[in-house]
């Protein structure tokens, strides 16, 4: 065999191996990068997962490691008690009507049908100077906050309570309103520290002007409710600076103190600077039904004089087809006298749970906030990392809480205990806490 033939054969074999290698690398590239679409740079900024799925992940890991443990959840604020009968009947009537020619409804107005807008107005806003047309019915406050952020766009500045409901921060990050995470907070957000030292109300004299101010009362997670004087100061601050307050009133029905308004629109001038959002979730057990509302006065205007409500409706009609007509039927039942009575009884049940939890921690010598005007108890563990305390309670008590730092840097050193639970579980949790933490 000639050397020339051997060289050619070797070359062909080498070339074949090279081509196979290229195809293999090409296949790996296809498998590892299926598109050329870049990931949203703002989503990349978010730290780890959303707070409550992360808690669920740790809970599941604990359960897997301790399969015989009976876990009690005082973590996520999800309702546990059945929807009351009069309200259920309203839902049933709404569903049954959909099976008749006369009662069937297809796509409806994105703002909600007139009867529920009127019912919410008459029950909650009749003395505020608003009208039923200022009520915009939706599938819940969380979703409405997302639609508001779409409406505001990326070119606005944001302030919010610290600690606060994580949706305010995360939606601001996703929309591109912020800078990067700096190790404790996001650059570009004004964090208004709310701690026991300032009665959980920010020192507004030290807060710079921002376009949007997120404010929740009663506050999630601290359980503190702003007084009439405090909210008047907040409204005056917003009007002076030409800001818009996004006022989250999801827990307003839990307020007992007459000096703590249940609506921002009880404060003169709020109609010119505030949006209020609320929900049936924690009042009527609608966390799985999905129904809420947002209130925007026609007096609230953008810098160019255009009505804020007009832009909100434009976003809603683009990305939302309106709340379920069945949910709306249930909402109407909630606002009727019998439904209103049942809803308040349900709220009272959870408030009693909160009082039990608060007294337990106080009796054990802890510094405790909330639990009177809200369904959350804010328990202090001074000098300790909140996630460490969360892990300790989970390990020693088989109880899920929520670490305070998950709501913001100012929440570190606290854990939140939710009063949403069956009474027997609350009482069992109390006994477990006593065994571990009684001094």
């Amino acid at each position: 065999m000639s050397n020339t033939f051997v060289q050619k054969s070797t070359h062909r074999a080498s070339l074949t191996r090279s081509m196979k290698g290229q195809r293999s690398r090409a296949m790996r590239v296809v498998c590892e990068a299926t598109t050329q679409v870049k990931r949203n740079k703002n989503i990349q900024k978010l730290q780890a997962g959303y707070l409550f799925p992360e808690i669920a992940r740790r809970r599941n890991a604990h359960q897997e490691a301790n399969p015989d443990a009976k876990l009690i959840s005082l973590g996520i604020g999800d309702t546990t008690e059945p929807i009351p009968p009069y309200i259920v009947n309203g839902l049933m009537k709404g569903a049954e009507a959909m099976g008749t020619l006369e009662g069937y409804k297809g796509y409806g107005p994105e703002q909600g049908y007139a009867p529920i807008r009127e019912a919410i107005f008459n029950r909650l806003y009749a003395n505020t100077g608003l009208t039923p047309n200022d009520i915009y019915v939706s599938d819940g406050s969380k979703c409405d906050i997302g639609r508001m952020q779409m409406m505001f766009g990326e070119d606005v500045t944001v302030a919010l309570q610290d600690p606060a409901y994580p949706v305010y921060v995360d939606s601001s990050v996703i929309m591109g309103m912020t800078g990067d995470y700096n190790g404790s907070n996001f650059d570009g957000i004004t964090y208004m520290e709310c701690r026991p030292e300032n009665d959980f109300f920010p020192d507004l004299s030290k807060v710079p002007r921002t376009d949007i101010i997120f404010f929740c009362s009663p506050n999630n997670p601290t359980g503190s409710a702003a007084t009439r004087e405090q909210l008047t100061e907040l409204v005056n601050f917003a009007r002076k600076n030409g800001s818009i307050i996004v006022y989250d009133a999801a827990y307003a029905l839990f307020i007992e103190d007459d000096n703590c308004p249940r609506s921002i629109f009880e404060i003169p001038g709020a109609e010119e600077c505030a949006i209020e959002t609320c929900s049936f979730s924690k009042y009527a057990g609608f966390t799985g039904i999905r129904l809420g509302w947002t209130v925007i006065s026609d007096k609230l205007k953008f810098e160019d004089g255009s009505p804020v409500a007009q832009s909100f409706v434009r976003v809603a009609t683009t990305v939302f087809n309106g709340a379920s007509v069945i949910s709306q039927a249930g909402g109407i039942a909630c606002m009727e006298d019998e439904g209103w009575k049942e809803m308040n009884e349900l709220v009272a049940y959870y408030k009693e749970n909160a009082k039990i939890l608060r007294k337990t921690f106080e009796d054990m010598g802890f510094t405790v906030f909330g639990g009177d005007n809200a369904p959350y108890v804010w328990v202090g563990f001074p000098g300790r990392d909140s996630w460490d305390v969360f892990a300790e309670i989970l390990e020693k008590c088989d109880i899920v809480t929520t670490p305070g730092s998950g709501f913001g840097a100012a929440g570190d050193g606290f854990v939140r205990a939710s009063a949403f639970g069956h009474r027997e579980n609350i009482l069992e949790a109390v006994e477990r806490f006593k065994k571990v933490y009684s001094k």
Side-chain angles (χ1 to χ4, degrees):
M1 185 180 292
S2 70
N3 288 336
T4 302
F5 178 79
V6 171
Q7 290 171 353
K8 287 181 178 179
S9 298
T10 303
H11 175 71
R12 283 196 297 269
S14 176
L15 183 62
T16 300
R17 287 193 298 271
S18 175
M19 291 175 67
K20 286 182 177 178
Q22 289 174 2
R23 284 197 298 269
S24 176
R25 285 193 296 275
M27 289 176 67
R28 285 200 299 272
V29 169
V30 169
C31 292
E32 293 171 2
T34 57
T35 75
Q36 297 182 34
V37 179
K38 293 182 180 179
R39 186 183 179 205
N40 185 328
K41 64 182 180 181
N42 296 315
I43 292 179
Q44 293 181 53
K45 296 177 188 176
L46 293 173
Q47 298 302 297
Y50 181 58
L51 172 63
F52 297 111
E54 175 61 19
I55 289 173
R57 186 190 68 78
R58 297 190 184 208
R59 167 187 174 150
N60 293 339
H62 178 79
Q63 186 73 80
E64 186 176 340
N66 303 273
D68 296 327
K70 181 194 172 186
L71 289 183
I72 295 176
S73 179
L74 304 180
I76 185 171
D78 192 6
T79 51
T80 58
E81 303 310 297
I83 297 172
Y86 185 85
I87 299 171
V88 168
N89 190 51
L91 291 165
M92 291 172 60
K93 287 181 177 178
E96 289 168 356
M98 293 294 285
T100 68
L101 283 173
E102 299 78 14
Y104 177 80
K105 291 183 174 71
Y107 292 126
E110 288 85 355
Q111 303 93 324
Y113 283 98
I116 189 168
R117 299 175 79 185
E118 291 168 359
I120 293 171
F121 169 79
N122 290 332
R123 178 63 69 179
L124 299 172
Y125 300 101
N127 298 317
T128 60
L130 299 168
T131 73
N133 289 333
D134 298 325
I135 312 293
Y136 299 89
V137 177
S138 72
D139 51 349
S141 291
K142 185 176 184 179
C143 302
D144 271 349
I145 288 168
R147 288 186 276 265
M148 286 181 219
Q149 294 284 50
M150 291 179 66
M151 173 185 72
F152 291 134
E154 65 181 348
D155 296 324
V156 296
T157 51
V158 173
L160 46 84
Q161 293 159 295
D162 182 11
Y165 184 39
V167 169
Y168 313 144
V169 171
D170 287 6
S171 61
S172 297
V173 174
I174 290 170
M175 281 302 301
M177 301 171 178
T178 77
D180 292 326
Y181 187 70
N182 58 30
S184 58
N185 289 317
F186 282 94
D187 294 332
I189 291 180
T190 296
Y191 292 85
M192 304 185 297
E193 191 170 281
C194 297
R195 294 180 57 85
E197 294 78 11
N198 61 5
D199 197 24
F200 296 103
F201 188 81
D203 183 351
L204 296 179
S205 67
K206 298 179 180 178
V207 175
R209 183 209 172 271
T210 61
D211 296 309
I212 311 301
I213 303 170
F214 284 100
F215 197 91
C216 179
S217 180
N219 176 264
N220 175 17
T222 67
S224 62
T227 65
R228 193 170 303 278
E229 292 75 20
Q230 289 171 335
L231 288 183
T232 298
E233 182 183 352
L234 179 65
V235 166
N236 290 341
F237 177 77
R239 294 180 72 189
K240 174 186 174 183
N241 289 324
S243 305
I244 294 177
I245 302 166
V246 176
Y247 188 79
D248 188 343
Y251 304 97
L253 202 55
F254 287 83
I255 292 176
E256 293 182 354
D257 190 337
D258 291 338
N259 192 40
C260 296
R262 289 185 171 183
S263 170
I264 190 72
F265 295 111
E266 293 181 35
I267 307 301
E271 70 281 358
E272 297 176 357
C273 67
I275 298 171
E276 180 166 296
T277 186
C278 200
S279 169
F280 288 96
S281 289
K282 307 303 166 62
Y283 299 170
F286 273 28
T287 50
I289 299 293
R290 307 310 308 147
L291 189 68
W293 68 92
T294 286
V295 187
I296 310 176
S297 168
D298 61 6
K299 295 179 181 177
L300 183 64
K301 305 289 178 65
F302 283 118
E303 183 184 42
D304 65 359
S306 63
V308 172
Q310 186 180 71
S311 292
F312 184 72
V313 170
R314 182 64 180 84
V315 170
T317 54
T318 300
V319 301
F320 180 53
N321 277 329
S324 157
V325 294
I326 299 170
S327 299
Q328 292 187 54
I332 290 171
C334 290
M335 296 291 104
E336 292 171 345
D337 288 345
E338 185 60 29
W340 182 252
K341 179 180 177 227
E342 287 183 344
M343 205 160 60
N344 277 277
E345 288 171 352
L346 189 58
V347 166
Y349 178 91
Y350 293 124
K351 286 168 69 173
E352 182 61 26
N353 283 350
K355 287 178 170 62
I356 291 169
L357 288 170
R358 174 168 179 145
K359 185 176 187 306
T360 297
F361 283 108
E362 286 178 335
D363 288 348
M364 292 190 296
F366 287 90
T367 300
V368 187
F369 303 93
D372 44 13
N373 292 312
Y376 298 122
V377 176
W378 191 238
V379 187
F381 287 80
R384 297 196 58 189
D385 179 89
S386 291
W387 279 105
D388 289 345
V389 177
F390 164 87
E392 178 181 273
I393 293 173
L394 184 59
E395 181 65 30
K396 293 184 177 180
C397 303
D398 291 323
I399 294 173
V400 179
T401 56
T402 308
S405 58
F407 299 96
D412 202 20
F414 291 87
V415 295
R416 189 194 77 174
S418 167
F420 292 110
H422 302 310
R423 182 64 48 79
E424 58 269 27
N425 286 344
I426 297 295
L427 295 175
E428 171 65 21
V430 161
E431 294 306 312
R432 294 185 192 181
F433 281 131
K434 288 178 179 178
K435 285 181 183 179
V436 173
Y437 291 106
S438 286
K439 298 177 182 178

